[in-house]
Amino acid sequence: ADSRTKMAGDRNGHADDDEGETVLSSSTAGNEAGKPVEQHPPVWMVHAALVLAQVIFGGGSVVGKLGIDKFNPILFAFIREGSAGPILCIFAYLKDRVLPNPKHIWWFFWTGLFIFSNQLCFIVGIKLSNAVVGSAWQPSQAVMVTAIAIAIGREKATSFKILGILLAFGGAAF
C-alpha cells in the first residue's frame, strides 16, 4: 500500500496506523516546531461557497420539478444518494489519500440512511407540492439543524446564532 495512504481518524487530522499509533495525516503536516498547521481558505471564499450552495439548493427544486413528475421519486433518491457516497469517497482519496476507517462503518450507514430519508421525503414533497415551496424549505435546513442542536445541547447558544435563527425565521415568515 502507498505509504501516504492513511485511515480517516478524528477531527484533528489524526489517524490510526496499522500498529495503533497516532499519526498526522498529510493535510496537517507539522511545521518546524512539530505542531500541526491548520490551513483555512479565505473568508470571502467560504461565504461565496455558502451563497453558491444555497442558490444551487433553491434552483435544484425548480429544475427537479421539471422531471420528477415522470420519474419514480424513490428510484431517483436511491440513484442520487447511492452514487454520491462512492463519488465523495473517491474524491477524498484522490485529494488526501484518506480512506474511511472500517470501525466507522455504522456511522456511514446511519448517516447515509438519514440523508437518503431526507432526500426521499423532499423529493416526494416536491412531487406532491410545487417547486416554490421546495425552494423555500431547502435553505431552512441549516436554521432548523442549528436550532435543534442548541435545544439538545450539542451547540452553544450564542447571540449570533440566536440572531441568525430569528432573522431567518423573520425572512421566511414575512
Side-chain angles (χ1 to χ4, degrees), residues 49-74:
L50 290 171
V51 168
L52 179 64
Q54 293 303 322
V55 168
I56 291 171
F57 283 155
S61 300
V62 176
V63 173
K65 181 65 175 174
L66 298 175
I68 201 68
D69 289 332
K70 297 179 177 86
F71 203 78
N72 183 340
I74 297 172

PDB file of all heavy atoms in Angstrom, residues 49-74:
ATOM      1  N   ALA A  49     -18.865  30.221  -1.319  1.00  0.00           N
ATOM      2  CA  ALA A  49     -19.287  28.819  -1.435  1.00  0.00           C
ATOM      3  C   ALA A  49     -20.635  28.598  -0.771  1.00  0.00           C
ATOM      4  O   ALA A  49     -21.488  27.864  -1.287  1.00  0.00           O
ATOM      5  CB  ALA A  49     -18.230  27.902  -0.821  1.00  0.00           C
ATOM      6  N   LEU A  50     -20.866  29.230   0.376  1.00  0.00           N
ATOM      7  CA  LEU A  50     -22.153  29.092   1.064  1.00  0.00           C
ATOM      8  C   LEU A  50     -23.294  29.702   0.253  1.00  0.00           C
ATOM      9  O   LEU A  50     -24.378  29.117   0.150  1.00  0.00           O
ATOM     10  CB  LEU A  50     -22.074  29.737   2.450  1.00  0.00           C
ATOM     11  CG  LEU A  50     -21.208  29.005   3.468  1.00  0.00           C
ATOM     12  CD1 LEU A  50     -21.032  29.856   4.720  1.00  0.00           C
ATOM     13  CD2 LEU A  50     -21.799  27.660   3.821  1.00  0.00           C
ATOM     14  N   VAL A  51     -23.057  30.873  -0.318  1.00  0.00           N
ATOM     15  CA  VAL A  51     -24.082  31.508  -1.142  1.00  0.00           C
ATOM     16  C   VAL A  51     -24.365  30.653  -2.379  1.00  0.00           C
ATOM     17  O   VAL A  51     -25.529  30.424  -2.733  1.00  0.00           O
ATOM     18  CB  VAL A  51     -23.661  32.941  -1.544  1.00  0.00           C
ATOM     19  CG1 VAL A  51     -24.557  33.500  -2.628  1.00  0.00           C
ATOM     20  CG2 VAL A  51     -23.661  33.850  -0.323  1.00  0.00           C
ATOM     21  N   LEU A  52     -23.311  30.163  -3.033  1.00  0.00           N
ATOM     22  CA  LEU A  52     -23.490  29.315  -4.207  1.00  0.00           C
ATOM     23  C   LEU A  52     -24.273  28.046  -3.853  1.00  0.00           C
ATOM     24  O   LEU A  52     -25.170  27.632  -4.612  1.00  0.00           O
ATOM     25  CB  LEU A  52     -22.137  28.946  -4.812  1.00  0.00           C
ATOM     26  CG  LEU A  52     -22.183  28.037  -6.039  1.00  0.00           C
ATOM     27  CD1 LEU A  52     -22.892  28.733  -7.199  1.00  0.00           C
ATOM     28  CD2 LEU A  52     -20.776  27.622  -6.440  1.00  0.00           C
ATOM     29  N   ALA A  53     -23.966  27.439  -2.719  1.00  0.00           N
ATOM     30  CA  ALA A  53     -24.687  26.225  -2.304  1.00  0.00           C
ATOM     31  C   ALA A  53     -26.172  26.513  -2.110  1.00  0.00           C
ATOM     32  O   ALA A  53     -27.022  25.723  -2.540  1.00  0.00           O
ATOM     33  CB  ALA A  53     -24.078  25.674  -1.016  1.00  0.00           C
ATOM     34  N   GLN A  54     -26.509  27.628  -1.495  1.00  0.00           N
ATOM     35  CA  GLN A  54     -27.918  27.956  -1.283  1.00  0.00           C
ATOM     36  C   GLN A  54     -28.634  28.252  -2.594  1.00  0.00           C
ATOM     37  O   GLN A  54     -29.794  27.881  -2.774  1.00  0.00           O
ATOM     38  CB  GLN A  54     -28.052  29.140  -0.312  1.00  0.00           C
ATOM     39  CG  GLN A  54     -27.615  28.823   1.092  1.00  0.00           C
ATOM     40  CD  GLN A  54     -28.355  27.646   1.696  1.00  0.00           C
ATOM     41  OE1 GLN A  54     -29.548  27.462   1.492  1.00  0.00           O
ATOM     42  NE2 GLN A  54     -27.647  26.831   2.436  1.00  0.00           N
ATOM     43  N   VAL A  55     -27.949  28.910  -3.526  1.00  0.00           N
ATOM     44  CA  VAL A  55     -28.546  29.188  -4.839  1.00  0.00           C
ATOM     45  C   VAL A  55     -28.797  27.873  -5.582  1.00  0.00           C
ATOM     46  O   VAL A  55     -29.862  27.665  -6.178  1.00  0.00           O
ATOM     47  CB  VAL A  55     -27.644  30.129  -5.673  1.00  0.00           C
ATOM     48  CG1 VAL A  55     -28.092  30.199  -7.118  1.00  0.00           C
ATOM     49  CG2 VAL A  55     -27.632  31.516  -5.052  1.00  0.00           C
ATOM     50  N   ILE A  56     -27.827  26.963  -5.523  1.00  0.00           N
ATOM     51  CA  ILE A  56     -27.991  25.666  -6.179  1.00  0.00           C
ATOM     52  C   ILE A  56     -29.115  24.877  -5.518  1.00  0.00           C
ATOM     53  O   ILE A  56     -29.932  24.252  -6.200  1.00  0.00           O
ATOM     54  CB  ILE A  56     -26.667  24.876  -6.163  1.00  0.00           C
ATOM     55  CG1 ILE A  56     -25.651  25.552  -7.095  1.00  0.00           C
ATOM     56  CG2 ILE A  56     -26.888  23.424  -6.573  1.00  0.00           C
ATOM     57  CD1 ILE A  56     -24.250  24.987  -6.999  1.00  0.00           C
ATOM     58  N   PHE A  57     -29.167  24.893  -4.171  1.00  0.00           N
ATOM     59  CA  PHE A  57     -30.247  24.185  -3.472  1.00  0.00           C
ATOM     60  C   PHE A  57     -31.610  24.733  -3.888  1.00  0.00           C
ATOM     61  O   PHE A  57     -32.537  23.986  -4.164  1.00  0.00           O
ATOM     62  CB  PHE A  57     -30.096  24.314  -1.959  1.00  0.00           C
ATOM     63  CG  PHE A  57     -29.043  23.425  -1.371  1.00  0.00           C
ATOM     64  CD1 PHE A  57     -28.441  23.772  -0.187  1.00  0.00           C
ATOM     65  CD2 PHE A  57     -28.665  22.238  -1.980  1.00  0.00           C
ATOM     66  CE1 PHE A  57     -27.474  22.955   0.376  1.00  0.00           C
ATOM     67  CE2 PHE A  57     -27.705  21.417  -1.431  1.00  0.00           C
ATOM     68  CZ  PHE A  57     -27.099  21.780  -0.243  1.00  0.00           C
ATOM     69  N   GLY A  58     -31.746  26.049  -3.902  1.00  0.00           N
ATOM     70  CA  GLY A  58     -33.024  26.658  -4.275  1.00  0.00           C
ATOM     71  C   GLY A  58     -33.393  26.395  -5.717  1.00  0.00           C
ATOM     72  O   GLY A  58     -34.530  26.067  -6.040  1.00  0.00           O
ATOM     73  N   GLY A  59     -32.421  26.505  -6.608  1.00  0.00           N
ATOM     74  CA  GLY A  59     -32.674  26.264  -8.021  1.00  0.00           C
ATOM     75  C   GLY A  59     -32.882  24.795  -8.336  1.00  0.00           C
ATOM     76  O   GLY A  59     -33.597  24.440  -9.276  1.00  0.00           O
ATOM     77  N   GLY A  60     -32.273  23.914  -7.538  1.00  0.00           N
ATOM     78  CA  GLY A  60     -32.427  22.480  -7.750  1.00  0.00           C
ATOM     79  C   GLY A  60     -33.865  22.023  -7.621  1.00  0.00           C
ATOM     80  O   GLY A  60     -34.302  21.095  -8.312  1.00  0.00           O
ATOM     81  N   SER A  61     -34.605  22.673  -6.750  1.00  0.00           N
ATOM     82  CA  SER A  61     -36.020  22.313  -6.589  1.00  0.00           C
ATOM     83  C   SER A  61     -36.816  22.644  -7.841  1.00  0.00           C
ATOM     84  O   SER A  61     -37.684  21.878  -8.250  1.00  0.00           O
ATOM     85  CB  SER A  61     -36.613  23.063  -5.394  1.00  0.00           C
ATOM     86  OG  SER A  61     -35.915  22.732  -4.227  1.00  0.00           O
ATOM     87  N   VAL A  62     -36.519  23.778  -8.427  1.00  0.00           N
ATOM     88  CA  VAL A  62     -37.235  24.200  -9.632  1.00  0.00           C
ATOM     89  C   VAL A  62     -36.887  23.277 -10.796  1.00  0.00           C
ATOM     90  O   VAL A  62     -37.766  22.786 -11.505  1.00  0.00           O
ATOM     91  CB  VAL A  62     -36.904  25.669  -9.980  1.00  0.00           C
ATOM     92  CG1 VAL A  62     -37.552  26.081 -11.277  1.00  0.00           C
ATOM     93  CG2 VAL A  62     -37.321  26.587  -8.841  1.00  0.00           C
ATOM     94  N   VAL A  63     -35.601  23.007 -10.986  1.00  0.00           N
ATOM     95  CA  VAL A  63     -35.179  22.133 -12.080  1.00  0.00           C
ATOM     96  C   VAL A  63     -35.658  20.706 -11.832  1.00  0.00           C
ATOM     97  O   VAL A  63     -36.117  20.030 -12.754  1.00  0.00           O
ATOM     98  CB  VAL A  63     -33.639  22.180 -12.245  1.00  0.00           C
ATOM     99  CG1 VAL A  63     -33.163  21.156 -13.247  1.00  0.00           C
ATOM    100  CG2 VAL A  63     -33.193  23.571 -12.639  1.00  0.00           C
ATOM    101  N   GLY A  64     -35.566  20.241 -10.579  1.00  0.00           N
ATOM    102  CA  GLY A  64     -36.000  18.890 -10.256  1.00  0.00           C
ATOM    103  C   GLY A  64     -37.471  18.660 -10.495  1.00  0.00           C
ATOM    104  O   GLY A  64     -37.892  17.561 -10.869  1.00  0.00           O
ATOM    105  N   LYS A  65     -38.275  19.683 -10.304  1.00  0.00           N
ATOM    106  CA  LYS A  65     -39.719  19.566 -10.503  1.00  0.00           C
ATOM    107  C   LYS A  65     -40.052  19.278 -11.969  1.00  0.00           C
ATOM    108  O   LYS A  65     -41.054  18.621 -12.265  1.00  0.00           O
ATOM    109  CB  LYS A  65     -40.422  20.845 -10.025  1.00  0.00           C
ATOM    110  CG  LYS A  65     -41.922  20.838 -10.170  1.00  0.00           C
ATOM    111  CD  LYS A  65     -42.581  19.794  -9.293  1.00  0.00           C
ATOM    112  CE  LYS A  65     -44.089  19.911  -9.392  1.00  0.00           C
ATOM    113  NZ  LYS A  65     -44.769  18.865  -8.685  1.00  0.00           N
ATOM    114  N   LEU A  66     -39.203  19.723 -12.881  1.00  0.00           N
ATOM    115  CA  LEU A  66     -39.462  19.514 -14.302  1.00  0.00           C
ATOM    116  C   LEU A  66     -39.488  18.036 -14.669  1.00  0.00           C
ATOM    117  O   LEU A  66     -40.284  17.607 -15.498  1.00  0.00           O
ATOM    118  CB  LEU A  66     -38.409  20.243 -15.145  1.00  0.00           C
ATOM    119  CG  LEU A  66     -38.370  21.761 -15.001  1.00  0.00           C
ATOM    120  CD1 LEU A  66     -37.202  22.325 -15.794  1.00  0.00           C
ATOM    121  CD2 LEU A  66     -39.673  22.388 -15.433  1.00  0.00           C
ATOM    122  N   GLY A  67     -38.620  17.234 -14.042  1.00  0.00           N
ATOM    123  CA  GLY A  67     -38.553  15.829 -14.411  1.00  0.00           C
ATOM    124  C   GLY A  67     -39.175  14.879 -13.412  1.00  0.00           C
ATOM    125  O   GLY A  67     -39.412  13.715 -13.729  1.00  0.00           O
ATOM    126  N   ILE A  68     -39.451  15.334 -12.219  1.00  0.00           N
ATOM    127  CA  ILE A  68     -39.909  14.433 -11.164  1.00  0.00           C
ATOM    128  C   ILE A  68     -41.313  13.891 -11.419  1.00  0.00           C
ATOM    129  O   ILE A  68     -41.661  12.812 -10.945  1.00  0.00           O
ATOM    130  CB  ILE A  68     -39.813  15.102  -9.774  1.00  0.00           C
ATOM    131  CG1 ILE A  68     -39.779  14.046  -8.669  1.00  0.00           C
ATOM    132  CG2 ILE A  68     -40.959  16.053  -9.535  1.00  0.00           C
ATOM    133  CD1 ILE A  68     -38.550  13.239  -8.645  1.00  0.00           C
ATOM    134  N   ASP A  69     -42.124  14.605 -12.188  1.00  0.00           N
ATOM    135  CA  ASP A  69     -43.477  14.129 -12.474  1.00  0.00           C
ATOM    136  C   ASP A  69     -43.472  12.850 -13.307  1.00  0.00           C
ATOM    137  O   ASP A  69     -44.404  12.056 -13.228  1.00  0.00           O
ATOM    138  CB  ASP A  69     -44.284  15.211 -13.200  1.00  0.00           C
ATOM    139  CG  ASP A  69     -44.623  16.366 -12.282  1.00  0.00           C
ATOM    140  OD1 ASP A  69     -44.736  16.146 -11.061  1.00  0.00           O
ATOM    141  OD2 ASP A  69     -44.765  17.500 -12.788  1.00  0.00           O
ATOM    142  N   LYS A  70     -42.415  12.639 -14.082  1.00  0.00           N
ATOM    143  CA  LYS A  70     -42.343  11.466 -14.945  1.00  0.00           C
ATOM    144  C   LYS A  70     -41.363  10.421 -14.438  1.00  0.00           C
ATOM    145  O   LYS A  70     -41.049   9.474 -15.150  1.00  0.00           O
ATOM    146  CB  LYS A  70     -41.936  11.906 -16.344  1.00  0.00           C
ATOM    147  CG  LYS A  70     -42.947  12.827 -16.992  1.00  0.00           C
ATOM    148  CD  LYS A  70     -42.497  13.252 -18.361  1.00  0.00           C
ATOM    149  CE  LYS A  70     -43.542  14.109 -19.017  1.00  0.00           C
ATOM    150  NZ  LYS A  70     -43.466  15.496 -18.698  1.00  0.00           N
ATOM    151  N   PHE A  71     -40.878  10.562 -13.210  1.00  0.00           N
ATOM    152  CA  PHE A  71     -39.847   9.669 -12.678  1.00  0.00           C
ATOM    153  C   PHE A  71     -40.240   9.215 -11.284  1.00  0.00           C
ATOM    154  O   PHE A  71     -40.820   9.978 -10.520  1.00  0.00           O
ATOM    155  CB  PHE A  71     -38.509  10.421 -12.646  1.00  0.00           C
ATOM    156  CG  PHE A  71     -37.310   9.539 -12.645  1.00  0.00           C
ATOM    157  CD1 PHE A  71     -36.876   8.936 -13.807  1.00  0.00           C
ATOM    158  CD2 PHE A  71     -36.612   9.304 -11.473  1.00  0.00           C
ATOM    159  CE1 PHE A  71     -35.757   8.125 -13.810  1.00  0.00           C
ATOM    160  CE2 PHE A  71     -35.497   8.501 -11.468  1.00  0.00           C
ATOM    161  CZ  PHE A  71     -35.061   7.907 -12.637  1.00  0.00           C
ATOM    162  N   ASN A  72     -39.905   7.995 -10.929  1.00  0.00           N
ATOM    163  CA  ASN A  72     -40.195   7.473  -9.600  1.00  0.00           C
ATOM    164  C   ASN A  72     -39.291   8.164  -8.570  1.00  0.00           C
ATOM    165  O   ASN A  72     -38.068   8.054  -8.656  1.00  0.00           O
ATOM    166  CB  ASN A  72     -39.956   5.964  -9.590  1.00  0.00           C
ATOM    167  CG  ASN A  72     -40.307   5.324  -8.280  1.00  0.00           C
ATOM    168  OD1 ASN A  72     -40.397   5.972  -7.246  1.00  0.00           O
ATOM    169  ND2 ASN A  72     -40.502   4.018  -8.323  1.00  0.00           N
ATOM    170  N   PRO A  73     -39.860   8.863  -7.563  1.00  0.00           N
ATOM    171  CA  PRO A  73     -39.023   9.592  -6.607  1.00  0.00           C
ATOM    172  C   PRO A  73     -38.144   8.693  -5.743  1.00  0.00           C
ATOM    173  O   PRO A  73     -37.048   9.092  -5.355  1.00  0.00           O
ATOM    174  CB  PRO A  73     -40.030  10.363  -5.753  1.00  0.00           C
ATOM    175  CG  PRO A  73     -41.339   9.749  -6.014  1.00  0.00           C
ATOM    176  CD  PRO A  73     -41.272   9.072  -7.337  1.00  0.00           C
ATOM    177  N   ILE A  74     -38.596   7.474  -5.460  1.00  0.00           N
ATOM    178  CA  ILE A  74     -37.780   6.557  -4.651  1.00  0.00           C
ATOM    179  C   ILE A  74     -36.547   6.132  -5.438  1.00  0.00           C
ATOM    180  O   ILE A  74     -35.429   6.136  -4.916  1.00  0.00           O
ATOM    181  CB  ILE A  74     -38.614   5.330  -4.221  1.00  0.00           C
ATOM    182  CG1 ILE A  74     -39.775   5.782  -3.331  1.00  0.00           C
ATOM    183  CG2 ILE A  74     -37.750   4.307  -3.501  1.00  0.00           C
ATOM    184  CD1 ILE A  74     -40.772   4.692  -3.009  1.00  0.00           C
TER     185      ILE A  74
END
